[in-house]
Amino acid sequence: YELLKPSEIGRVEPALSAVSDTLTGALHVPNDQTGDCNLFTRNLAALARELGVEFRLGCTVQSISSSGDQVTGVMIDGVLETADQYVLALASYSRAMLLPLGIKIPVYPLKGYSLTLPIRNVAMAPQSTVIDETYKVAITRFDQRIRVGGMAQVAGFDLELDPKRRETLEYVTRLLYPQGGDVAQGEIWTGLRPATPDGTPIVGHTAYRNLFLNTGHGTLGWTMSCGSASYLADVMRQRIPQISREGLDMFRYC
């Protein structure tokens, strides 16, 4: 990393030169990267379909059936679907689905918000990603759009859009990039991050020998997705994973 004085910030993010007198300094982390998780997921799904994976969208998973120490099926839209092995990856909704099986995992939804707006002046828009540590808000460049996101609201499963949260996102955007984006055209969104008490996801075995978990990634779902999938695939195939097993499965809470 590189610690930057206010006068040096414009070297990394040119548009911030216009507001450098309002900044204390910056921490530049050149190895950090950003990307479009929606584009990544769609392309990954297309590759998976070519390999024979079937995606069933718009379905409701109603319950999980079990007998002894095994899962015997999953009820989906009134039909019991069976398999040799099962992976539960329901993010913030994982806990509720597992409770009838006698499994209690400490995954709780933390509500986050994002604002996506079109770029008004390319020269005055962000080049990469900037995080405002005062308001804990991240501003990211997505082609001809700006994505502003952050916050961690304890509100259960409420997905109502809070106008005060939008005001905060707009305020930080205008503060750092007053000419960069068209805030009036911004689209607000909210979602639930599946958080755990220690911040580490829950990936691996359960008390049922053919049921595995992949949940609780908090704000780092996409960041950890490929590593979690690779690790879990090794666990399910009884291979030694490249990632240490210590402290990853649900039994660390027992």
Side-chain angles (χ1 to χ4, degrees):
Y1 67 90
E2 180 185 9
L3 189 62
L4 303 176
K5 298 177 181 179
S7 60
E8 300 171 322
I9 296 175
R11 172 166 53 84
V12 178
E13 279 288 329
L16 291 181
S17 296
V19 295
S20 61
D21 59 330
T22 68
L23 304 176
T24 303
L27 193 65
H28 179 218
V29 188
N31 290 329
D32 271 10
Q33 297 179 336
T34 61
D36 188 331
C37 57
N38 183 282
L39 178 63
F40 174 89
T41 304
R42 290 179 180 275
N43 288 340
L44 180 62
L47 291 173
R49 285 191 182 96
E50 292 178 6
L51 295 174
V53 176
E54 177 187 354
F55 291 88
R56 295 174 55 185
L57 308 178
C59 299
T60 300
V61 179
Q62 296 162 306
S63 62
I64 301 174
S65 301
S66 65
S67 177
D69 65 348
Q70 289 194 78
V71 167
T72 55
V74 178
M75 189 66 68
I76 302 174
D77 288 342
V79 178
L80 186 67
E81 304 285 357
T82 61
D84 296 325
Q85 294 178 309
Y86 303 81
V87 176
L88 187 142
L90 295 179
S92 296
Y93 300 91
S94 299
R95 176 180 169 84
M97 186 62 67
L98 290 170
L99 282 176
L101 296 176
I103 296 176
K104 295 182 180 181
I105 57 172
V107 173
Y108 188 86
L110 290 183
K111 189 176 181 180
Y113 292 81
S114 73
L115 184 69
T116 303
L117 51 142
I119 290 177
R120 185 172 60 184
N121 184 335
V122 174
M124 300 305 292
Q127 298 296 310
S128 184
T129 296
V130 170
I131 299 177
D132 186 313
E133 284 296 331
T134 300
Y135 294 95
K136 301 296 186 292
V137 167
I139 302 179
T140 303
R141 172 75 171 268
F142 273 178
D143 296 325
Q144 298 307 308
R145 299 166 294 155
I146 298 175
R147 170 70 53 78
V148 189
M151 306 177 191
Q153 184 180 5
V154 179
F157 292 88
D158 174 32
L159 290 175
E160 184 178 349
L161 296 171
D162 185 343
K164 291 184 178 180
R165 305 289 174 171
R166 176 173 186 144
E167 290 173 6
T168 300
L169 296 177
E170 291 181 349
Y171 174 77
V172 175
T173 305
R174 290 190 176 103
L175 194 66
L176 296 177
Y177 297 98
Q179 303 175 50
D182 190 347
V183 174
Q185 298 298 317
E187 296 181 358
I188 190 73
W189 176 88
T190 187
L192 306 176
R193 307 185 191 97
T196 62
D198 54 12
T200 301
I202 302 174
V203 186
H205 289 281
T206 69
Y208 295 83
R209 61 184 183 179
N210 62 340
L211 176 63
F212 302 85
L213 302 183
N214 190 6
T215 186
H217 293 75
T219 61
L220 299 174
W222 185 35
T223 305
M224 296 183 180
S225 60
C226 293
S228 296
S230 176
Y231 168 82
L232 190 56
D234 285 339
V235 170
M236 294 174 68
R237 285 163 33 167
Q238 298 183 357
R239 300 188 343 186
I240 299 175
Q242 296 181 16
I243 302 171
S244 171
R245 295 173 183 260
E246 185 177 356
L248 275 181
D249 60 33
M250 57 170 281
F251 298 107
R252 71 179 184 268
Y253 295 112
C254 298

